[in-house]
Amino acid sequence: SMTTDLDSFCSSYPFRTMLVRAPAEGVAEVVLNRPLQLNAMNRHFWTECREVFCALGNMHDVRVIILSAAGKHFSAGLDLRDAFLPGDTGDSGSGATQQPQQPQLAGKDAARRALHLRQHIMSYQAAFDAIENAPQPVVAAIHGACVGGGVDLVSACDVRWASSDAFFCIKEVDVGLAADVGTLQRCSKGLLPGSLFRELVYTGRQMLAAEALRVGFVSNVEQDSAALHEAVLRLACTIAAKSPVAVVGSKHILLHARDHSVTDSLLYEATWNSAMLQCDDVVEAGRAAVERRPPIFARL
């Protein structure tokens, strides 16, 4: 069957904070699945997010990924009851913030403590890098609260659609830190207009769905969660029907262009397409147009 890789992954991976399902051919849906905790990001989430998106990225039967969330809200961000905090030496006796995998920092100097903490932060960053680095486009379906780490998460996605009750909040300033898992980096690359973006960062205020749509942070707002998920699945199916060579190539080139000059990116694209133009998909697209039928593209 076409979805063997995906199906076996769905049934075999030991999910703790997410689940993965296959709502349509060529489509994988990753669902944040701690609804009672408002999908707050605990210590297990970071490893799981990285592993899940790395695994999906390697599946040739997956042509597009939907990211959604169970329960009333998309995500409340970092789970502060289950986070390693800089002041926590690991021997404070507070089981809530004690991470077994965190080395004992007691007695270490500032530099050594900082290096440990830096590694820790980088492991969190890697979770959302895995979303951006998945070859397939990732479409976020956001309902309810999308706060703190939730904004970092959706800023690593290709497309953001929301329900009318969604709101966004770059909350880190109210917790006494600068956002450190992607919001400040990715949103400054054209996801939000400069003045508004900085205002949201410095105040931690809410941006409702209507404002997010007006400024282009999301590109569609549906009435409610049910309508949103229906619309996002239709969008995903549209993308899944396209040439995977064209779609994967487009995402790859877009990300390259974001971080390079126009000149460098054009040169890189010329090299990329010198290989990718030699695919059957170009022939099939032309033939399908002549024969007035939908094209059928082979999986990668």
Side-chain angles (χ1 to χ4, degrees), residues 75-156:
S75 178
L78 184 67
D79 188 340
L80 293 172
R81 287 164 307 187
D82 186 46
F84 173 79
L85 300 168
D88 175 26
T89 55
D91 57 2
S92 61
S94 93
T97 52
Q98 196 171 331
Q99 285 210 12
Q101 78 269 32
Q102 191 63 30
Q104 301 294 307
L105 297 184
K108 292 193 186 292
D109 65 17
R112 286 169 176 79
R113 292 169 67 95
L115 284 170
H116 279 292
L117 190 55
R118 182 171 182 265
Q119 284 298 127
H120 187 72
I121 295 167
M122 285 163 64
S123 74
Y124 279 18
Q125 291 174 340
F128 296 164
D129 290 344
I131 297 176
E132 187 171 270
N133 294 334
Q136 309 92 332
V138 181
V139 180
I142 305 145
H143 71 285
C146 180
V147 172
V151 179
D152 295 88
L153 174 61
V154 300
S155 67

Side-chain angles (χ1 to χ4, degrees), residues 15-202:
F15 296 104
R16 301 169 85 157
T17 68
M18 305 178 148
L19 62 88
V20 175
R21 56 188 177 213
E25 194 175 322
V27 182
E29 182 174 16
V30 178
V31 186
L32 306 183
N33 194 32
R34 295 179 73 222
L36 299 178
Q37 294 81 25
L38 310 183
N39 300 311
M41 299 163 177
N42 65 5
R43 72 184 73 155
H44 304 299
F45 165 82
W46 304 95
T47 308
E48 198 163 310
C49 183
R50 188 183 74 245
E51 290 177 351
V52 164
F53 277 93
C54 285
L56 293 177
N58 287 325
M59 288 181 203
H60 298 315
D61 50 342
V62 175
R63 296 194 186 184
V64 60
I65 302 167
I66 296 171
L67 175 62
S68 66
K72 196 164 145 42
H73 294 289
F74 183 80
S75 178
L78 184 67
D79 188 340
L80 293 172
R81 287 164 307 187
D82 186 46
F84 173 79
L85 300 168
D88 175 26
T89 55
D91 57 2
S92 61
S94 93
T97 52
Q98 196 171 331
Q99 285 210 12
Q101 78 269 32
Q102 191 63 30
Q104 301 294 307
L105 297 184
K108 292 193 186 292
D109 65 17
R112 286 169 176 79
R113 292 169 67 95
L115 284 170
H116 279 292
L117 190 55
R118 182 171 182 265
Q119 284 298 127
H120 187 72
I121 295 167
M122 285 163 64
S123 74
Y124 279 18
Q125 291 174 340
F128 296 164
D129 290 344
I131 297 176
E132 187 171 270
N133 294 334
Q136 309 92 332
V138 181
V139 180
I142 305 145
H143 71 285
C146 180
V147 172
V151 179
D152 295 88
L153 174 61
V154 300
S155 67
C157 298
D158 291 86
V159 175
R160 287 163 298 281
W161 281 14
S163 59
S164 60
D165 70 339
F167 67 89
F168 301 87
C169 186
I170 303 171
K171 194 73 181 151
E172 283 86 348
V173 72
D174 287 333
V175 190
L177 54 101
D180 59 4
V181 281
T183 291
L184 301 185
Q185 292 71 24
R186 294 187 172 103
C187 289
S188 53
K189 298 287 189 178
L191 270 55
L192 279 164
S195 174
L196 171 68
F197 175 39
R198 287 167 192 236
E199 176 199 323
L200 294 171
V201 168
Y202 301 146

